[in-house]
Structures are given as structure tokens and as C-alpha cells.
């Protein structure tokens, strides 16, 4: 298939396995003699353990061990003398679990109870009694913003071009602050790990990880093992969204416990522990200061963000990154600060910091458009960046203008009135809002292996983990495009450390990175097949060149005479080859330094607001993705729909609430932490520009998972303003906030 041709809309290759229960997730693997781990957690936010009574738990039926800081086996590769005082960089190891008495956050694991059944472990955990020496804690970012510090690293340094104060003297000025609360990972599948030591220096692990080789490296380092002796398997994952981007302390502790007990140990954290042990989107406040001339041309933007981190580890993300380049503005300044609090460390969530930053920036753009009495799309077009103003490079591809038009046509933007509150349907106020989104597009390094069998079937191998977007389907589609083998004859083997190396899945890079490795490897196999087909004695292709051959429907055909053809498997048979395989490493080149590579999105939302009850409903949504060539249209559409659903949660329902008197969450359950349900989600139209990026990779495909969410919350907030005339800058937009402002 040529680079500019559209891929077929194939079904998910793992769909049948998932709907019939054939797909096995980490907790479903069965190992004889498996024992069960339950964690006991701290009820205070800061201090130390004064005493812990474990005898009753140890004597409970079925209990094999209770591990605390007094008896957890030492982990040789960890710097245990520093214990919880070791401050690690973002993305590195956090505190070391059960190494001392210090309490760093409420919900911190302080003991592990292991028993022969889950129920016995759960009961025994209730018998562990702890007293504490409390210390004053700090969990309220609003009260401690003045303590914000600039994180280390060039990526988080203050940015400036032009004169940042220019906006102050512009004819039209906006200064506004925005708040995003704590958001928590809540997929159906809980986090955890299943560990089985098969020898003193060999361990088998099933885990909820977004990168099996990342987990392999972490365990090998912690226990001073040869990496090849750490076997990690995660073929299926019930939603990652960021929580699986690091190996958490409780996972390492379970590995240690399993080695001590010489038994398999399984940990599946409880739902309330999901709120404290596997990261969260950090509470973040932002201020946007913006100036424009009367013609609607931006004069200056100042974007300041302050976010929480943990007292023991710096976590950072690109909250202000989008502001640096998305609009053509001569004077731009961004600052990013983090405030250490007595909380568990945050982690990247879908849309990482860009989703947080886009809410503030794109809300401010809508506010400025209103001040100028301009249509929000027209205002963006007047400030459209044809080239990257941050890096002074051309974009590898950018079709955002086309995306604006397609989305506007689909949502019925022409019905929108610039005057807020002008549209009504009975008691409901109707509003329309839109927002832009963007995320870095890149190509990393990966390996892949392809194996062609005599029966014409193909096996693709890569260690990459599929966290839900349909990675296997995309890879099968790429192989089908290159080799012409029917989709049903292609199998993708993944999620295991014995397979060729691949990066951790996150940051919208896998199709570009692993897909390129599959493309390159299949291309090499295709070249070998063509040579064999031409060279064999009775070949119908004698005297032909490789470029004269067409690979289609599992056949090799002569381009000028399709009657001359051979099944690909017959080429192997004729050459006495049971299989033909190729394995390659693949990575990008200097093009990544020549061009600015980004994916772009435009989100449109229609909302209905009840001014009496304050209820906001998203009644229609359109998302347009400019992410290069679409490799797998069906799974791409699902990606966009999932992102919009998450954006509805960000805009209207999701907020983890802290009682700062105790530093503890008060809604750490799915009854009180509200994720969108089916009734909250309207029909969502997804549109793809589907134009290959000519530089990023051989498929012309760019990432999509993040842009599916980035900006959508702002589109909803902007629609609420269009419906009511009231700006709600603190998410989520709950009925009480609407009533307070509309009444």
C-alpha cells in the first residue's frame, strides 16, 4: 500500500478474545500455591510509626507472614541506608517501602499481610494495630503556593521570547486564573502484581505495567539480577492511562516477600488504594495574562502554573508547553513551579500536563475572543502559527485550519450565537464551545521480528504492552499493508520480555515507534521474498525486478500480468524453507531535529444547561484529529471517543477531595468520585484529516491517544459560557457552581 492510501477499517484482532474471556490479565494467571498479599496503610499524612502490633494478625488462620519495616528482607539493589529520605527525580523510584518508620502521606503502605487466601489476608490485615507520632502536615496547595520552586532540568526552565510585559499595554487585556483539581486513575482493572521465583536468581512476573522491559529493568536493578533472569509478561491490560509508567514501591516489596516465602505472591490493590498508591493528576493552579490589539492579533501571553508534587520526589509535566508554540505571538513567557506536599507522588495521566495546560490556555483564548467580539475560530485563525515560533522550525505537517472547518461544519457551528444565552430549548440554555489541542509527535527506537510460515501465515513479535488502544490491530494493519497477507493470517505476539525490545507504552509514540519497526522488518522480509521468488528455477517472474512484483491477498503477482502469481508460502516451499524471518532495529533520523513534530486536534461541544438545577449535559461532541495517516481507523475512532469521555469527566464530574485537616481523601470510591457513565456521554463524531506526515516515519502516522483528550474540557467550559454568559474557571463544572453564577 502506498503511503498516501487509506488503511482498511479492520476489526480489533484481539476483540474476540476480550469479549469471550480468552484474554488473560495479570491477576487471572494461575500458579499452584499462590498466596495473597493485602496492604495495611497509614491513616496519618505525616509523622512516624510509634508502635505496631502484628501478633494477632500473624496468628490468624492461613497467615504466612506479616512484613513491616522491621522484617522486610533487605533489597540489595536499593540504597536502603537513606530509606525514605532519598529524593528521586521525576519518573524514578519513589520512597522505599517498609524501610523505616517515617510516614510521608496518608495511605502509605506500612505493612504487608500474606495468607493462603485473599479473604484470610483481608481479615488479618484488620488485626494490625498501629499508633503514630503525628507531625503537622501540608496537603493544601492553595495555602502553600508561595513555596513553589522551579524544578530541575531544562524542560522546566522559565521560557521567554520578546518582552513578557507587552500584554499589559495592549488595547485588550485578559488576566484570569484557572484550577484543575486532583484526578485519579480509575480503570476497571485494579493495579497489582503476581510474582513467582522459579530459582534463587530467576523470577516470573505478571504485572499491570505499561512496559514489561521497564519493569524487568527495575526488578533486575533492585535485586541485582541479570535482566534475562527477570521474565515479565503483560499481554493484556485493563486501561493504563499513566499508572503503569513506573514500577511502584509495593511491587518491589511483593517481589521481596515472594523470595523470602519461596511461594508465589499476588497483590491486587483495593479500589480505595488506587487513589493513593499509583499516582494521580496533580492539583494545579494557572494564571493566563493575555493581550491583543483591536484587530484580534495577539500581542503577548504570560502563562504561570503551580502544581503539587510529593515531599519525597519531584514530579513534573509539560503544563505550559503548548503555550510556547500553538499561536503566532511575538511575546510569550511561561513559568512552572512545583510545591512539595505530604501527598503520594503524582504521575502522568492521559494528556499529561498538556491537558491541564490546554484547559487554561484555550479557556483564555475563548475569553479573549469574547472581549474582541470575535468568533472563537476566527480569533484562532488570526493567530495561526504556520511555523513553530518556539523552535523556529517548520512543522513536519499541520492541517489545523482544515480541522477547524470540518469540525465546525459537523457540530453545526453556524447555529452558534456570539451573544451568550441567545439559544434556548424550553428550559434548557444551549451553548457551543471549541478548543484546540496538541501533543508532541515523535519516533523512538524499537525492534521487531516477523516470521513467515510455509502456510502463508505471518507472526509479528514485539515486547510492547497494549494498554487498550488496539496496538495489536495497528501492527497487523501495518504488516498487511506492506506484505499483502490477509489480516486473518497475521498474528501479533506482544507483552513479554522474551520478545524484541520495545518502549513503554505512553505519550502517543507506539504506532510511530513500534509501527516503524514492524514496517521496516516487513519491508526487509518483502525484499527477501521477492529475491527468492525471482530466483527460483520455475518462477513465473524470471527476469523481472523486485519493483515489478505486487504483494496482495497472500500472493506475489506480476504487476503487468496478474495471472502470473505465486502464494507467498509456495516461495518458501520451493526453497526448502520451513520459515523465513527477519528482525531489525528501527529508529528515527535527523528529521526530528529539522522539523517540529506535533499532532493536533480540535474539539467541539454542544451543551445544555438548566439554569434552575445547574445541570450541564454535553448533548453533542465532535473531535477532529490531525495525526498523520490513520493506520487503524476503527481503533483510532475508539481512541477519540475514549478521550472525549475522559474530557467530559475532567470538565463536569471528576474531583478527588482532600480533607486537609487530616490530609486524607474523603471520596476514595466510585460512588463518590464520579467518572462519566453512559448517560453522561452523547454520540461523539470523530473526524480524521488522514494526511500522511511526510517526515516522521514510513507510514506517515502520528500519535493520537493524548490529543483525544487535550483541550476537550475547555471546549465544554467555553460552551457553558456561551449558554449562560458565566465563566467557570475551576473544574469540575458542578451544578452548585453553575447555580451560584447563573442565579
Amino acid at each position: 500500500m502506498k503511503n498516501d492510501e487509506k488503511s482498511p477499517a479492520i476489526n480489533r484482532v484481539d476483540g474476540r478474545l476480550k469479549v469471550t474471556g480468552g484474554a488473560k490479565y495479570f491477576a487471572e494467571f494461575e500458579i499452584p500455591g499462590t498466596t495473597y498479599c493485602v496492604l495495611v496503610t497509614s491513616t496519618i499524612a505525616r509523622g512516624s510509626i510509634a508502635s505496631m502490633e502484628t501478633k494477632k494478625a500473624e496468628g490468624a488462620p492461613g497467615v504466612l507472614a506479616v512484613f513491616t519495616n522491621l522484617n522486610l528482607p533487605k533489597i540489595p539493589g536499593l540504597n536502603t541506608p537513606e530509606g525514605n529520605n532519598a529524593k528521586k527525580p521525576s519518573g524514578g523510584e519513589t520512597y522505599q517501602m517498609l524501610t523505616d518508620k517515617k510516614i510521608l502521606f496518608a495511605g502509605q503502605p506500612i505493612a504487608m499481610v500474606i495468607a493462603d487466601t485473599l479473604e484470610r489476608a483481608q481479615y488479618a490485615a484488620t488485626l494490625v494495630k498501629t499508633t503514630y507520632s503525628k507531625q503537622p502536615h501540608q496537603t493544601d496547595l492553595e495555602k502553600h503556593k508561595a513555596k513553589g520552586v522551579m524544578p530541575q532540568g531544562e524542560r522546566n526552565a522559565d521560557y521567554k521570547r520578546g518582552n513578557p510585559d507587552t500584554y499589559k499595554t495592549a488595547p485588550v487585556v485578559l488576566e484570569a486564573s484557572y484550577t484543575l483539581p486532583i484526578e485519579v486513575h480509575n480503570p476497571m482493572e485494579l493495579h497489582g502484581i503476581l510474582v513467582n521465583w522459579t530459582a534463587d536468581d530467576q523470577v516470573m512476573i505478571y504485572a499491570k505495567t505499561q512496559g514489561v522491559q521497564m519493569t524487568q529493568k527495575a526488578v533486575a536493578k533492585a535485586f541485582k539480577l541479570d535482566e534475562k533472569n527477570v521474565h515479565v509478561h503483560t499481554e493484556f491490560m485493563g486501561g493504563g492511562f499513566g499508572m503503569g509508567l513506573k514500577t511502584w514501591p509495593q511491587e518491589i516489596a511483593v517481589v521481596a516477600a515472594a523470595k523470602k516465602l519461596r511461594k508465589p505472591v499476588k497483590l491486587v490493590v483495593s479500589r480505595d488504594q488506587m487513589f493513593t498508591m499509583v499516582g494521580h493528576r496533580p492539583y494545579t493552579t494557572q494564571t493566563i495574562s493575555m493581550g491583543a490589539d483591536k484587530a484580534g492579533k495577539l500581542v503577548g501571553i504570560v502563562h504561570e502554573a503551580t502544581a503539587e508534587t510529593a515531599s519525597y520526589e519531584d514530579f513534573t509535566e509539560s503544563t505550559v508547553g503548548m503555550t510556547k508554540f500553538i499561536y503566532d505571538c511575538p511575546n510569550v513567557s511561561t513559568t512552572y513551579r512545583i510545591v512539595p506536599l505530604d501527598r503520594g507522588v503524582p504521575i502522568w495521566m492521559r494528556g499529561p500536563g498538556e491537558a491541564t495546560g490546554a484547559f487554561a490556555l484555550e479557556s483564555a483564548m475563548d475569553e479573549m475572543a469574547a472581549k474582541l467580539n470575535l468568533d472563537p475560530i476566527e480569533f484562532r485563525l488570526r493567530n495561526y502559527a504556520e511555523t513553530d515560533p518556539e523552535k523556529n522550525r517548520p512543522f513536519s505537517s499541520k492541517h489545523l485550519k482544515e480541522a477547524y472547518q470540518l469540525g465546525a461544519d459537523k457540530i453545526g457551528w453556524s447555529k452558534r450565537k456570539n451573544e451568550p444565552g441567545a439559544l434556548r430549548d424550553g428550559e434548557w440554555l444551549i451553548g457551543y464551545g471549541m478548543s484546540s489541542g496538541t501533543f508532541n509527535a515523535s519516533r523512538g527506537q524499537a525492534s521487531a521480528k516477523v516470521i513467515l510460515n510455509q502456510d502463508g501465515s505471518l507472526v509479528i513479535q514485539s515486547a510492547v504492552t497494549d494498554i487498550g488502544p488496539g496496538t495489536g490491530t495497528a501492527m497487523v494493519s501495518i504488516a498487511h499493508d506492506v506484505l499483502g497477507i490477509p489480516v486473518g493470517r497475521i498474528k501479533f505476539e506482544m507483552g513479554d520480555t522474551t520478545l524484541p525490545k520495545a518502549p513503554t507504552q505512553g505519550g502517543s509514540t507506539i504506532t510511530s515507534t513500534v509501527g516503524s519497526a514492524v514496517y521496516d522488518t516487513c519491508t526487509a522480509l518483502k525484499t527477501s521474498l521477492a529475491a527468492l521468488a525471482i530466483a527460483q528455477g520455475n518462477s513465473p517472474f524470471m527476469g523481472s525486478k523486485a519493483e515489478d512484483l505486487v504483494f496482495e491477498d497472500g500472493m506475489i503477482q506480476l504487476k503487468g500480468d496478474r495471472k502470473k502469481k505465486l502464494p507467498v508460502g509456495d516461495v518458501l516451499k520451493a526453497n526448502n524453507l520451513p520459515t523465513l524471518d527477519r528482525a531489525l532495529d528501527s529508529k528515527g533520523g535527523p528529521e526530528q531535529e529539522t522539523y517540529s513534530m506535533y499532532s493536533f486536534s480540535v474539539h467541539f461541544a454542544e451543551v445544555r444547561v438548566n439554569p434552575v438545577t445547574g445541570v450541564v449535559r454535553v448533548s453533542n461532541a465532535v473531535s477532529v484529529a490531525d495525526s498523520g495517516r490513520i493506520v487503524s481507523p476503527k481503533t483510532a475512532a475508539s481512541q477519540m471517543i475514549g478521550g472525549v469521555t475522559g474530557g467530559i469527566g475532567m470538565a463536569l464530574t471528576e474531583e478527588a477531595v482532600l480533607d486537609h485537616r487530616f490530609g486524607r481523601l474523603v471520596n476514595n470510591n466510585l460512588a463518590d468520585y464520579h467518572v462519566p457513565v453512559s448517560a453522561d456521554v452523547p454520540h461523539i463524531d470523530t473526524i480524521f484529516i488522514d494526511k500522511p506526515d511526510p517526515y516522521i516515519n514510513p507510514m506517515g502516522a502520528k500519535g493520537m491517544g493524548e490529543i483525544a483528550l487535550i483541550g476537550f474540557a475547555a471546549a465544554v467550559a467555553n460552551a457553558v459560557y456561551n449558554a449562560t454568559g458565566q465563566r467557570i474557571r475551576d473544574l469540575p463544572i458542578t451544578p452548585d457552581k453553575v447555580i451560584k453564577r447563573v442565579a
Side-chain angles (χ1 to χ4, degrees):
M1 177 173 286
K2 295 181 180 179
N3 191 292
D4 59 351
E5 291 183 22
K6 295 182 183 297
S7 297
I10 66 174
N11 295 325
R12 289 187 72 116
V13 297
D14 56 4
R16 182 175 293 275
L17 280 175
K18 288 186 173 180
V19 300
T20 59
K24 293 187 71 173
Y25 297 81
F26 87 91
E28 296 179 303
F29 283 89
E30 298 179 0
I31 302 174
T34 293
T35 62
Y36 299 84
C37 175
V38 171
L39 300 175
V40 180
T41 59
S42 166
T43 58
I44 68 168
R46 187 181 180 194
S48 61
I49 298 170
S51 66
M52 184 181 294
E53 175 54 55
T54 62
K55 288 185 178 179
K56 287 185 178 179
E58 291 166 344
V63 172
L64 302 173
V66 178
F67 291 108
T68 69
N69 65 290
L70 299 177
N71 66 340
L72 182 72
K74 287 189 176 182
I75 300 170
L78 296 184
N79 191 12
T80 52
E82 285 189 32
N84 290 355
N85 294 321
K87 194 165 186 177
K88 306 289 184 179
S90 177
E93 296 172 356
T94 57
Y95 70 96
Q96 298 167 28
M97 182 175 143
L98 306 187
T99 57
D100 59 32
K101 295 181 178 181
K102 290 184 180 179
I103 302 299
L104 302 172
F105 60 94
Q108 174 184 322
I110 57 174
M112 302 166 58
V113 178
I114 299 174
D116 58 358
T117 70
L118 175 61
E119 292 78 10
R120 284 175 162 179
Q122 289 172 329
Y123 170 69
T126 67
L127 302 178
V128 176
K129 304 301 179 185
T130 308
T131 59
Y132 302 94
S133 296
K134 294 183 182 179
Q135 294 178 359
H137 62 265
Q138 299 177 355
T139 57
D140 191 341
L141 182 135
E142 296 287 356
K143 288 186 177 180
H144 299 284
K145 279 194 287 188
K147 297 180 181 179
V149 296
M150 182 191 301
Q152 295 181 353
E154 183 179 348
R155 182 173 70 95
N156 300 303
D158 293 352
Y159 172 80
K160 180 177 74 172
R161 71 170 177 265
N163 182 359
D165 292 329
T166 305
Y167 82 91
K168 296 178 181 179
T169 57
V172 183
V173 176
L174 168 73
E175 293 181 317
S177 295
Y178 306 86
T179 302
L180 196 77
I182 299 165
E183 293 180 355
V184 182
H185 299 285
N186 264 313
M188 289 186 289
E189 184 194 28
L190 300 165
H191 201 273
I193 190 169
L194 170 59
V195 180
N196 182 34
W197 287 83
T198 56
D200 288 342
D201 63 346
Q202 295 181 3
V203 61
M204 179 71 211
I205 294 172
Y206 302 91
K208 184 165 187 178
T209 175
Q210 290 176 234
V212 291
Q213 288 167 334
M214 172 195 70
T215 299
Q216 179 188 46
K217 290 179 183 296
V219 172
K221 178 183 177 183
F223 292 89
K224 293 188 174 181
L225 299 171
D226 190 317
E227 285 185 15
K228 70 176 185 295
N229 289 346
V230 180
H231 186 177
V232 183
H233 182 91
T234 309
E235 184 178 2
F236 296 101
M237 191 173 184
F241 306 108
M243 74 180 70
L245 287 173
K246 65 162 60 177
T247 303
W248 296 94
Q250 59 268 19
E251 296 177 85
I252 297 296
V254 170
V255 178
K259 186 171 187 181
K260 175 68 174 179
L261 294 175
R262 295 182 178 274
K263 290 180 177 293
V265 178
K266 180 190 293 186
L267 167 69
V268 179
V269 305
S270 59
R271 178 60 62 181
D272 62 315
Q273 291 170 351
M274 292 284 290
F275 284 73
T276 56
M277 290 188 192
V278 291
H280 56 277
R281 194 187 301 277
Y283 188 104
T284 305
T285 63
Q286 300 173 79
T287 299
I288 300 282
S289 303
M290 184 181 289
D293 63 25
K294 291 184 178 179
K297 187 70 180 71
L298 285 169
V299 172
I301 306 174
V302 176
H303 187 172
E304 301 167 310
T306 303
E308 65 165 311
T309 189
S311 63
Y312 55 86
E313 179 183 345
D314 289 351
F315 171 79
T316 65
E317 54 185 359
S318 299
T319 304
V320 297
M322 177 176 169
T323 303
K324 300 174 185 178
F325 69 89
I326 190 65
Y327 296 114
D328 181 20
C329 182
N331 304 292
V332 175
S333 171
T334 66
T335 59
Y336 177 72
R337 300 291 183 265
I338 53 175
V339 178
L341 297 175
D342 300 313
R343 296 266 293 122
V345 71
I347 191 64
W348 300 280
M349 287 185 71
R350 192 178 194 181
E354 284 81 353
T356 300
F359 167 65
L361 177 63
E362 291 299 290
S363 294
M365 288 293 289
D366 196 78
E367 295 198 43
M368 182 60 83
K371 280 178 171 283
L372 292 162
N373 196 28
L374 282 175
D375 181 278
I377 298 177
E378 177 60 29
F379 181 46
R380 286 167 172 80
L381 290 173
R382 293 186 186 188
N383 295 282
Y384 193 84
E386 296 288 354
T387 59
D388 183 347
E390 178 192 5
K391 299 176 182 176
N392 293 315
R393 300 176 189 165
F395 291 109
S396 58
S397 64
K398 184 182 181 184
H399 305 285
L400 203 49
K401 288 180 179 179
E402 185 177 346
Y404 287 143
Q405 188 62 55
L406 289 171
D409 290 345
K410 190 67 177 179
I411 196 77
W413 190 255
S414 60
K415 294 181 291 186
R416 178 188 182 274
K417 306 296 182 183
N418 234 20
E419 178 188 355
L423 294 177
R424 186 183 279 268
D425 181 10
E427 64 179 349
W428 294 91
L429 298 169
I430 300 174
Y432 292 86
M434 57 81 58
S435 169
S436 304
T438 185
F439 193 80
N440 178 62
S442 63
R443 175 184 175 184
Q445 185 170 355
S447 302
K449 183 176 182 179
V450 291
I451 306 165
L452 180 66
N453 300 305
Q454 280 191 0
D455 64 0
S457 63
L458 183 76
V459 176
I460 314 167
Q461 295 179 331
S462 170
V464 67
T465 296
D466 184 355
I467 65 174
T471 300
T473 307
M475 300 306 135
V476 167
S477 181
I478 291 169
H480 166 77
D481 289 352
V482 175
L483 290 168
I485 295 174
V487 168
R489 303 285 289 158
I490 304 174
K491 180 181 180 182
F492 183 57
E493 296 179 350
M494 62 180 174
D496 195 282
T497 49
T498 62
L499 300 174
K501 289 186 177 181
T504 297
Q505 183 160 102
S508 294
T509 61
I510 292 302
T511 297
S512 177
T513 300
V514 179
S516 293
V518 171
Y519 182 99
D520 290 346
T521 310
C522 287
T523 300
L525 181 69
K526 182 178 181 179
T527 300
S528 298
L529 269 173
L532 288 171
I534 292 170
Q536 70 185 58
N538 59 347
S539 171
F541 312 126
M542 289 291 291
S544 301
K545 296 179 181 179
E547 54 266 30
D548 296 328
L549 303 185
V550 176
F551 287 68
E552 192 172 275
D553 295 327
M555 310 288 289
I556 306 175
Q557 304 174 23
L558 192 62
K559 191 180 298 183
D561 183 359
R562 293 301 184 96
K563 292 181 180 180
K564 293 183 178 180
K565 57 186 178 181
L566 280 175
V568 292
D570 285 4
V571 177
L572 272 63
K573 294 174 185 175
N575 288 274
N576 295 317
L577 295 172
T579 62
L580 182 65
D581 62 76
R582 291 292 180 268
L584 290 175
D585 295 327
S586 176
K587 62 180 180 180
E591 67 277 355
Q592 297 184 89
E593 300 301 322
T594 305
Y595 298 93
S596 286
M597 296 181 176
Y598 294 95
S599 295
F600 300 93
S601 60
V602 183
H603 300 290
F604 291 84
E606 176 193 271
V607 302
R608 292 176 173 243
V609 183
N610 189 307
V612 177
T613 64
V615 168
V616 177
R617 295 202 179 281
V618 179
S619 49
N620 195 6
V622 176
S623 283
V624 189
D626 173 21
S627 54
R629 179 186 158 209
I630 305 304
V631 168
S632 176
K634 283 191 176 182
T635 56
S638 293
Q639 276 282 80
M640 295 299 288
I641 291 168
V644 169
T645 302
I648 291 172
M650 178 183 283
L652 300 180
T653 66
E654 293 193 51
E655 178 181 15
V657 179
L658 276 166
D659 185 333
H660 294 296
R661 296 173 300 169
F662 308 104
R664 297 178 66 180
L665 291 166
V666 299
N667 63 335
N668 56 345
N669 57 77
L670 290 181
D672 300 311
Y673 181 92
H674 297 154
V675 296
V677 297
S678 295
D680 299 314
V681 182
H683 173 76
I684 300 166
D685 284 301
T686 59
I687 301 173
F688 303 109
I689 302 299
D690 202 10
K691 293 181 179 178
D693 185 295
Y695 303 105
I696 189 168
N697 55 49
M699 301 87 62
K702 296 192 287 188
M704 182 184 298
E706 315 296 356
I707 61 166
L709 184 144
I710 294 169
F712 190 81
V716 174
N718 296 339
V720 170
Y721 168 77
N722 184 244
T724 66
Q726 301 299 320
R727 291 286 178 190
I728 300 177
R729 302 186 180 103
D730 304 325
L731 295 183
I733 303 170
T734 47
D736 57 306
K737 296 175 185 176
V738 176
I739 293 173
K740 182 179 179 180
R741 288 165 174 80
V742 175

